[in-house]
Amino acid sequence: MNGRKHSTLNGLARTLSKLGICSRTQAQALIHAGAVQINGRTVHDPELRIDPARAQITINGEPALAPARVYIALNKPRGLVTTRADEKGRATVYECLAGAALPYLAPVGRLDQASEGLLLLSNDSAWNSVITDPATQVDKLYHVQIGRMPDAGFLARLHQGVRVDGELLRVKAARELRRGGRNAWLEITLEEGKNRHLRRLLAACDCNVLRLIRIGIGPLRLGTLAKGAWRHLTPEEVRLLSAAGTPAD
């Protein structure tokens, strides 16, 4: 009984974030500013443990209601960072959403500053977790331009993996798409997404990455979505991505 009751308790800032109202950082700022009330009492502790099913949460006197769930796909341009606000003042992916009537949306996974392509954003924290949880192993598909000519041994090494900083980095699948005079394009599938996974793996294989574009997540493909543009996912796409993130028996 006690364990089950304890499991329902969350920190206040985390609760507001999980509701999709704002980020945890934004929630902390609201709480510190005295804008959040629990059962009519103003609180200032972002880590205050509450039961979201029982507590009446208001922000500036208005009920803290979860907004409608929103799921979007963005074609991330190179040079943007995947964060709401950057401490170094760099441009972020949220600049692509400027002016749109959207609630707070969190990135579903990341693409580093130099990478491009398909990025999901949503305010459905449970759905986000299904897509990003390593245990669910939702495949990510990439097109990568490399500064060398790949051969069978090189592709085999990507499959076998290389240990980098104590982590085994490898790909699920890799094949050559095309080649030019001094570089080639690979199509690579990952079923896990460790930090800068592909860049670290390819560097360990003495391979320079010229471009890295994510073109697919699970069954979803980037398609013809223009660079910097975004669109809402269809209900069927949301469902299929959820199903892709269901662990096998």
Side-chain angles (χ1 to χ4, degrees):
M1 175 73 71
N2 288 339
R4 184 160 57 250
K5 182 177 180 181
H6 178 75
S7 67
T8 65
L9 300 180
N10 288 313
L12 179 54
R14 183 169 185 265
T15 296
L16 293 176
S17 176
K18 288 179 71 66
L19 285 172
I21 293 172
C22 57
S23 71
R24 193 178 302 192
T25 300
Q26 291 169 328
Q28 290 170 343
L30 286 170
I31 295 163
H32 285 311
V36 181
Q37 300 82 39
I38 302 296
N39 299 327
R41 180 175 61 88
T42 298
V43 296
H44 296 274
D45 180 7
E47 301 304 320
L48 177 69
R49 305 281 285 182
I50 65 168
D51 182 347
R54 296 176 180 271
Q56 294 183 345
I57 309 172
T58 55
I59 300 176
N60 293 321
E62 297 294 326
L65 302 177
R69 295 309 187 196
V70 174
Y71 312 85
I72 72 169
L74 167 70
N75 186 350
K76 175 193 174 298
R78 187 173 186 169
L80 302 183
V81 293
T82 309
T83 184
R84 167 65 67 173
D86 183 63
E87 70 280 359
K88 298 179 181 178
R90 296 172 295 183
T92 79
V93 295
Y94 288 92
E95 296 187 15
C96 298
L97 310 180
L102 294 168
Y104 165 75
L105 300 175
V108 185
R110 296 250 190 260
L111 280 174
D112 65 38
Q113 185 178 12
S115 299
E116 312 164 51
L118 182 59
L119 178 68
L120 302 177
L121 297 101
S122 175
N123 59 353
D124 185 341
S125 59
W127 184 81
N128 294 3
S129 295
V130 169
I131 307 303
T132 57
D133 188 342
T136 61
Q137 296 185 332
V138 177
D139 286 351
K140 280 79 174 180
L141 186 64
Y142 299 84
H143 284 176
V144 186
Q145 185 183 30
I146 59 172
R148 60 168 288 177
M149 295 295 111
D151 54 25
F154 173 77
L155 295 177
R157 192 178 183 198
L158 296 182
H159 284 94
Q160 293 164 1
V162 177
R163 194 163 292 278
V164 180
D165 298 328
E167 288 186 303
L168 179 62
L169 304 178
R170 58 188 175 189
V171 305
K172 180 178 181 180
R175 68 184 183 91
E176 182 179 329
L177 286 173
R178 60 185 182 273
R179 64 173 62 196
R182 296 184 178 180
N183 58 69
W185 282 89
L186 304 179
E187 182 174 85
I188 297 178
T189 303
L190 294 181
E191 64 180 3
E192 54 186 352
K194 295 170 182 173
N195 183 42
R196 295 176 61 83
H197 189 130
L198 277 179
R199 292 186 184 277
R200 293 164 63 208
L201 171 59
L202 290 166
C205 295
D206 299 317
C207 179
N208 184 33
V209 174
L210 304 179
R211 288 186 71 186
L212 193 157
I213 308 169
R214 184 159 64 195
I215 65 163
I217 299 175
L220 185 68
R221 293 295 177 265
L222 182 61
T224 59
L225 189 63
K227 192 168 295 185
W230 62 273
R231 68 171 180 85
H232 290 278
L233 298 185
T234 67
E236 179 67 3
E237 287 171 332
V238 173
R239 186 192 67 78
L240 288 172
L241 280 163
S242 296
T246 302
D249 293 335

